[in-house]
Amino acid sequence: MSGRRVDIAVVGGGLAGGLIALALHRRAPGTPVALIEQGDTLGGNHRWSWFASDLDAEGAALLARFRTTAWDGYEVRFPAYFRTLHTRYNSLSSAEFDAGLRRELPEETVLAGRAVAALDAEGVTLADGERIAARAVIDCRGFVPSAHLQGGWQVFMGRHLRTARPHGIARPIVMDATVEQRGGYRFVYVLPLGADELFVEDTYYQDTPELDRSALSSRIDRYCLQHGFDGEILGGETGVLPVITGGDFAAWQREMAVAGIARAGARGGFVHPLTSYTLPFAVETALAAAEEARLPGDQLAALLDARARRLWRRTRFYRRLGAMLFGAARPEARYRVFEHFYRLHEGLIERFYAARSTAGDKARVLLGRPPVPVSRAIAALARRGAPLQGPPR
């Protein structure tokens, strides 16, 4: 079935794809773009959060028209101490992401509820047979596990609830690691979205991608009961994200490659290997793609692949830390890595999350009493973790 022709087809309407479409529209409003998403809404069912220090002025401007929630500071909690930090923290729900993109983009740009059957350097074939021809195609459909990458997994379940009374939480609790540690590093993440609204997420750094919905839901129940957060459940989400500790990135890129097609988002390797954060890299990539949008499709693909390789080299230190985290003598002791880290200077912590740590930062993270015994850390660095195979969700 013949269809329309666009300049650029973006496949996958999640964070990376949506921001690329938005940046392209802002850069050249008349350029025909198709943003193709198999789900009915853009962004799926997620919540993205970031520190103000993660983005430069141009990146912040790209997100400025989305309706977000922001706080002047956040907390962390560990068995040894509680700490309040003052970096501005922001959060965006997928519902507001969808609404914002539909406000900003021309109506004909968004093709939601449209599954993709195949894509090639000259366009996209939809599951219903419609063909969308394009000068360039960017694949943003999500991370694909591979034996070429090693590491572990970040597994989480979040719950959005309206409390029966004001909850009294003033700022986000980005890590509450005072909870019982189970089979890996566990913490609870709490966002006060309003005086009587909370988002509570139970998160695990673990060796396998298994997500036990019943167990995680019960643990959220207990956490909420312990803290008096009773009320109505408004929604929830789950996720399984890679924590990359090593591998052959060039081999992974070759495995993923489709001639002439660019890749972005986690599918292209644009992810913080330890925190699994994607938002700062999605913003940077969207702006870069918009800047070079007139390149032929194969050249745009080469450009993004080169950016991904530079990011891989730049984030070697975080993969090393991940190997140390997963190499802890006892999984239940892994929290000590972050307990040690969060005692450091706030500027260092900001640069860490933005993947811009200096040489001095790296030395300070590794100085002092090692959070992992040295012999175990060396073995972990040599092993780099298990292959990242299995379903990412």
Side-chain angles (χ1 to χ4, degrees):
M1 183 190 304
S2 62
R4 59 173 167 146
R5 181 173 187 84
V6 298
D7 194 56
I8 298 179
V10 181
V11 182
L15 182 68
L19 291 180
I20 287 173
L22 178 61
L24 289 168
H25 174 67
R26 295 258 183 96
R27 185 86 181 176
T31 303
V33 174
L35 176 59
I36 306 164
E37 165 57 37
Q38 69 173 355
D40 292 331
T41 59
L42 302 172
N45 179 31
H46 298 287
R47 177 170 288 279
W48 302 281
S49 299
W50 69 99
F51 301 96
S53 52
D54 291 341
L55 304 177
D56 61 15
E58 189 179 12
L62 183 65
L63 298 178
R65 295 185 188 175
F66 290 108
R67 295 192 180 109
T68 61
T69 307
W71 303 267
D72 290 323
Y74 65 99
E75 297 177 9
V76 293
R77 300 180 178 182
F78 294 96
Y81 67 90
F82 290 9
R83 183 180 181 186
T84 298
L85 298 100
H86 303 288
T87 309
R88 188 170 177 81
Y89 196 64
N90 308 271
S91 188
L92 170 65
S93 71
S94 53
E96 291 295 357
F97 183 71
D98 177 84
L101 288 175
R102 291 179 189 272
R103 283 194 307 269
E104 292 284 318
L105 298 175
E107 184 177 357
E108 63 272 15
T109 295
V110 177
L111 301 178
R114 307 295 299 275
V116 169
L119 60 166
D120 55 64
E122 296 181 349
V124 180
T125 302
L126 301 181
D128 61 8
E130 182 180 356
R131 176 71 177 175
I132 299 176
R135 180 184 57 79
V137 177
I138 306 177
D139 189 355
C140 303
R141 289 178 295 175
F143 178 75
V144 177
S146 169
H148 293 301
L149 300 178
Q150 288 90 49
W153 302 90
Q154 185 184 143
V155 177
F156 59 88
M157 173 180 282
R159 180 182 297 172
H160 182 193
L161 68 153
R162 177 174 291 116
T163 56
R165 62 194 64 82
H167 48 68
I169 304 296
R171 60 182 67 86
I173 305 169
V174 168
M175 286 186 181
D176 183 351
T178 63
V179 294
E180 181 182 5
Q181 301 296 302
R182 291 174 172 266
Y185 175 42
R186 177 193 177 204
F187 63 91
V188 175
Y189 172 71
V190 182
L191 292 180
L193 300 175
D196 62 351
E197 278 191 47
L198 284 174
F199 182 78
V200 181
E201 186 173 275
D202 200 12
T203 301
Y204 299 76
Y205 277 76
Q206 62 185 41
D207 299 311
T208 64
E210 281 74 31
L211 189 154
D212 187 333
R213 292 173 182 267
S214 177
L216 267 64
S217 182
S218 294
R219 290 168 196 163
I220 293 175
D221 286 342
R222 288 196 291 274
Y223 186 88
C224 290
L225 179 63
Q226 179 185 356
H227 292 83
F229 301 154
D230 59 314
E232 174 190 3
I233 297 175
L234 303 178
E237 66 172 87
T238 59
V240 179
L241 302 174
V243 180
I244 301 169
T245 61
D248 186 338
F249 190 71
W252 182 70
Q253 283 192 310
R254 290 193 296 271
E255 178 184 54
M256 295 293 300
V258 178
I261 293 179
R263 294 185 306 279
R267 195 180 193 89
F270 295 96
V271 59
H272 194 301
L274 180 54
T275 66
S276 303
Y277 275 25
T278 58
L279 187 139
F281 312 117
V283 170
E284 290 176 359
T285 307
L287 294 171
E291 178 73 21
E292 303 292 349
R294 297 311 305 166
L295 288 175
D298 59 343
Q299 293 183 31
L300 183 61
L303 173 78
L304 294 187
D305 275 356
R307 288 182 65 90
R309 288 192 295 273
R310 288 196 298 272
L311 180 63
W312 177 265
R313 292 192 295 269
R314 179 178 127 200
T315 54
R316 177 183 178 184
F317 172 68
Y318 309 107
R319 291 191 296 279
R320 181 184 181 189
L321 291 181
M324 292 177 67
L325 175 68
F326 283 100
R330 292 186 302 110
E332 291 76 13
R334 290 175 182 171
Y335 78 90
R336 295 184 183 277
V337 174
F338 283 96
E339 188 176 65
H340 165 79
F341 168 75
Y342 263 106
R343 290 185 184 275
L344 301 173
H345 187 270
E346 191 161 344
L348 179 153
I349 294 168
E350 290 178 350
R351 292 187 292 274
F352 169 88
Y353 279 106
R356 294 194 293 265
S357 297
T358 66
D361 291 343
K362 295 172 186 178
R364 289 181 181 90
V365 169
L366 297 174
L367 281 176
R369 182 180 179 182
V372 177
V374 172
S375 60
R376 187 79 178 187
I378 292 172
L381 290 171
R383 188 172 64 251
R384 293 291 183 185
L388 284 175
Q389 294 176 293
R393 292 188 178 278

